[in-house]
Amino acid sequence: MPRKAELFELLENICRAAQWHAATAATEERERGAGHRRRTGWETAARAAVHAGRSGIEGIASSVRLEEAMPARRLLRVMDGTPPFPRL
């Protein structure tokens, strides 16, 4: 099970990632280029991919096997508690 726990931790990190959105929001409009748009697009797509798997994660979270259920439940809390990206 350690690999599943590590996978859920990776998904949590992806869900929390907002480095490029924060950097872009902090820059002047005129300084934003294609690189910023591409990187924020990657963050948006990665987070959307994690959220797209929510029904599967919920199924694992309801498992009686706690070694599977606990990391999945933690990921669901992160998904629910992560604020939306800042408006750019």
Side-chain angles (χ1 to χ4, degrees):
M1 283 308 138
R3 288 194 176 108
K4 279 190 179 181
E6 291 170 358
L7 176 61
F8 281 115
E9 186 177 339
L10 173 63
L11 294 173
E12 286 178 38
N13 290 337
I14 291 169
C15 197
R16 285 189 190 111
Q19 174 184 353
W20 288 107
H21 278 83
T24 301
T27 61
E28 297 290 328
E29 176 100 23
R30 60 183 163 70
E31 296 176 13
R32 297 179 193 164
H36 279 277
R37 285 190 300 278
R38 186 173 55 252
R39 289 176 182 107
T40 57
W42 292 339
E43 278 183 342
T44 301
R47 187 180 287 183
V50 173
H51 282 271
R54 185 178 186 98
S55 63
I57 296 164
E58 288 172 339
I60 296 168
S62 66
S63 171
V64 294
R65 298 175 64 179
L66 290 180
E67 67 273 9
E68 292 180 1
M70 296 308 287
R73 291 174 189 164
R74 189 172 53 243
L75 174 57
L76 289 171
R77 283 193 300 275
V78 168
M79 291 168 71
D80 291 341
T82 302
F85 289 121
R87 188 170 180 102
L88 302 178

